[in-house]
Amino acid sequence: MTEEFESKMSEMAMPAFDVSENEAAEVEVTHCGYIAIVGRPNVGKSTLLNHILGQKLSITSRKPQTTRDQILGVKTEGHIQAIYVDTPGLHLGSDKAMNRIMNKTAAAALKDVDVVLFVIDADRWTEEDESVLQKVKHARCPVILVVNKVDQLDQQDDLLPRLANLSDRMNFSQIVPISALRNKNLDRLERLVESYIPEGTQFYPEDQITNRSSRFLAAEIVREKITRQLGQEVPYEVAVQIEEFTYEESAIHISALILVERNGQKRIIIGERGDKIKLIGKEARIDMENLFQHKVMLNLWIKVRSGWSDDERALASLGYQEE
Ligand SMILES: Nc1nc2c(ncn2[C@@H]2O[C@H](COP(=O)(O)OP(=O)(O)OP(=O)(O)O)[C@@H](O)[C@H]2O)c(=O)[nH]1
Ligand SMILES: [Mg+2]
C-alpha cells in the first residue's frame, strides 16, 4: 500500500460529523454469553477453564469430585464477553446429600446457557459419560464435544477413528480434540465458542474474572491442597470455612477452619509432627498471594465434625443448599 493510498483511506474513514468518544462507544455492538462446561468427574473441566482464563481460578486435582460448586470464569476480549460456568462432575452412584447437591448444580448449568462444552477423556468412554450425554441431549443450545487429554493417547493417529465413533452418539455442533493441560487447540475452541455468543450487554466489568468472592476462592485453595494430600480418603468429606479475611496494607490475614468427617482424616492432614499441615499452609499461601497479588498471612485450624457431608443442616450452614 502506498502512503498516499493509506492517507486517503484514513480520510474516508473519518466520520462525516463530529462524534465524541462517549457517543461512539454507545453504538458499539457488544456480545455476551454463557458457556457451560460439563462432564463426568476428573475429565479436566476446571483445568480447561483455568487455561482459557490464563489464570488459576478453579481448583483441580487427580481425584474425582474436586469441584463442588458452580464457579464462573469471565473472559472479556474487546467486544466479546464469554462467561464460562465450571460445574461439579456429573456422576452416578452414592446418594449422599452432598452428591445430590453436586449433581443438581451441574445439571442446572445446562439451562439458560448459549453453548455447552461437553468434556470427555480422549482415552475412554464410560457409563458416566453416557449418562452425561443423556442430560446434554436435552440442552436447547449448541453442544460442542471437547475431547480432552489427547496428549495421553499412545498414537496420535488413533484419534480420527475415535472422533468418528463419537460423532455417532449425538448431533454435536462440533467435535474438538484438545489438551487443556498442554494448551493444545484451545485457541480454536475459544474462537468456535465466540461464534456462538449472541449480541448483548456485557454483565461484568472487563477486568472482573469471576462471580466468586475472595473468601470463597481462598477456601477453595485450601481445599485443593488438602485434597491433594489425602490418599484414598474421600475428598468431599473435607470442607473449609473462612473465619477471618482482613485486608491490610501490609498483608491479608486469613484464618481457615478445616472440617473433616473422621479422626483418621485429621491425623493425615496434620501429618507427623505437623509437617503435612505446614506444607498445605505454605502451598495455599503461595497460590493465594498469586491470585490476590498481595502478601498473605494464613492460619489453619482443623476440627472433626462427623457426618456433616450427609447432614442437610450442616451442609446448609456451609453454603450448600438442596432445593
Ligand atoms: N494429561 C493430561 N491431564 C489433564 C489434562 N487436563 C486435565 N488433566 C488432569 O486431570 C485431572 C483432573 O482435572 P480437573 O480439571 O480437576 O478435572 P475436573 O473435570 O474439573 O474434575 P471434577 O471437578 O472432579 O469434576 C488433573 O490431575 C489434571 O491435571 C490434559 O489435557 N492432559
Ligand atoms: Mg473441576
Side-chain angles (χ1 to χ4, degrees):
M1 243 193 270
T2 63
E3 264 178 42
E4 195 190 337
F5 180 72
E6 259 177 3
S7 85
K8 222 185 183 97
M9 289 300 285
S10 64
E11 263 173 42
M12 283 167 68
M14 291 280 281
F17 50 90
D18 190 29
V19 188
S20 76
E21 240 179 26
N22 279 343
E23 278 166 329
E26 267 172 28
V27 293
E28 192 198 352
V29 177
T30 58
H31 290 244
C32 185
Y34 283 88
I35 307 104
I37 308 178
V38 300
R40 71 173 160 83
N42 215 38
V43 289
K45 299 176 294 298
S46 302
T47 307
L48 173 61
L49 175 68
N50 292 340
H51 284 252
I52 286 175
L53 293 179
Q55 180 157 16
K56 188 171 151 183
L57 185 69
S58 194
I59 65 167
T60 67
S61 88
R62 292 215 308 272
K63 308 223 175 66
Q65 298 185 226
T66 301
T67 305
R68 215 177 260 175
D69 298 84
Q70 179 177 297
I71 175 166
L72 300 188
V74 186
K75 184 160 182 177
T76 311
E77 279 183 320
H79 62 290
I80 301 180
Q81 181 161 84
I83 306 170
Y84 291 89
V85 189
D86 187 14
T87 63
L90 280 158
H91 56 277
L92 300 167
S94 172
D95 55 7
K96 271 190 158 189
M98 185 51 134
N99 277 296
R100 284 199 305 272
I101 293 172
M102 283 165 68
N103 269 340
K104 271 192 187 161
T105 305
L110 287 169
K111 291 184 204 145
D112 305 323
V113 292
D114 302 290
V115 192
V116 170
L117 301 184
F118 173 17
V119 185
I120 62 166
D121 184 329
D123 205 28
R124 64 192 88 104
W125 177 269
T126 70
E127 204 189 337
E128 277 185 324
D129 292 314
E130 187 61 41
S131 131
V132 181
L133 177 77
Q134 296 314 319
K135 293 198 167 70
V136 154
K137 276 185 173 167
H138 294 112
R140 279 183 241 106
C141 64
V143 177
I144 300 174
L145 182 68
V146 178
V147 184
N148 190 26
K149 307 195 187 182
V150 291
D151 58 293
Q152 280 190 325
L153 292 181
D154 284 342
Q155 286 176 314
Q156 293 298 323
D157 51 0
D158 228 349
L159 195 58
L160 285 178
R162 272 170 204 262
L163 297 185
N165 257 334
L166 290 167
S167 69
D168 292 340
R169 296 190 186 269
M170 184 191 146
N171 190 14
F172 296 112
S173 303
Q174 295 276 341
I175 300 184
V176 187
I178 63 159
S179 168
L181 199 62
R182 313 230 178 281
N183 278 327
K184 254 176 94 176
N185 225 12
L186 297 194
D187 263 5
R188 191 173 149 234
L189 179 61
E190 278 191 75
R191 298 296 85 80
L192 196 62
V193 163
E194 278 172 8
S195 70
Y196 292 111
I197 295 182
E199 270 183 29
T201 314
Q202 301 189 343
F203 292 121
Y204 294 96
E206 67 177 330
D207 54 356
Q208 189 169 340
I209 60 157
T210 186
N211 61 332
R212 291 295 190 169
S213 67
S214 303
R215 287 178 94 97
F216 173 86
L217 298 174
E220 286 289 275
I221 289 173
V222 175
R223 200 163 63 77
E224 177 187 81
K225 303 308 170 203
I226 295 167
T227 303
R228 290 176 177 205
Q229 293 294 336
L230 288 178
Q232 290 309 307
E233 305 283 316
V234 200
Y236 61 65
E237 292 186 345
V238 174
V240 177
Q241 243 174 339
I242 300 295
E243 311 265 272
E244 186 206 346
F245 193 109
T246 339
Y247 186 96
E248 277 170 24
E249 210 51 59
S250 56
I252 308 173
H253 295 262
I254 301 173
S255 264
L257 173 66
I258 302 161
L259 276 183
V260 292
E261 290 262 355
R262 286 172 271 137
N263 249 317
Q265 294 165 328
K266 181 174 168 177
R267 270 200 304 276
I268 293 171
I269 293 171
I270 292 175
E272 256 179 65
R273 289 189 297 273
D275 55 348
K276 276 277 157 60
I277 190 120
K278 263 191 214 140
L279 186 67
I280 290 168
K282 185 177 164 211
E283 288 182 351
R285 179 181 52 75
I286 292 171
D287 274 18
M288 287 175 190
E289 288 180 342
N290 278 333
L291 185 64
F292 301 138
Q293 294 288 299
H294 204 73
K295 190 172 158 55
V296 168
M297 304 287 277
L298 177 64
N299 261 315
L300 298 179
W301 310 90
I302 182 159
K303 235 190 219 172
V304 181
R305 195 192 285 171
S306 56
W308 70 262
S309 71
D310 197 27
D311 174 345
E312 318 262 334
R313 274 229 316 265
L315 283 168
S317 78
L318 289 164
Y320 302 103
Q321 214 91 33
E322 200 163 26
E323 275 145 32

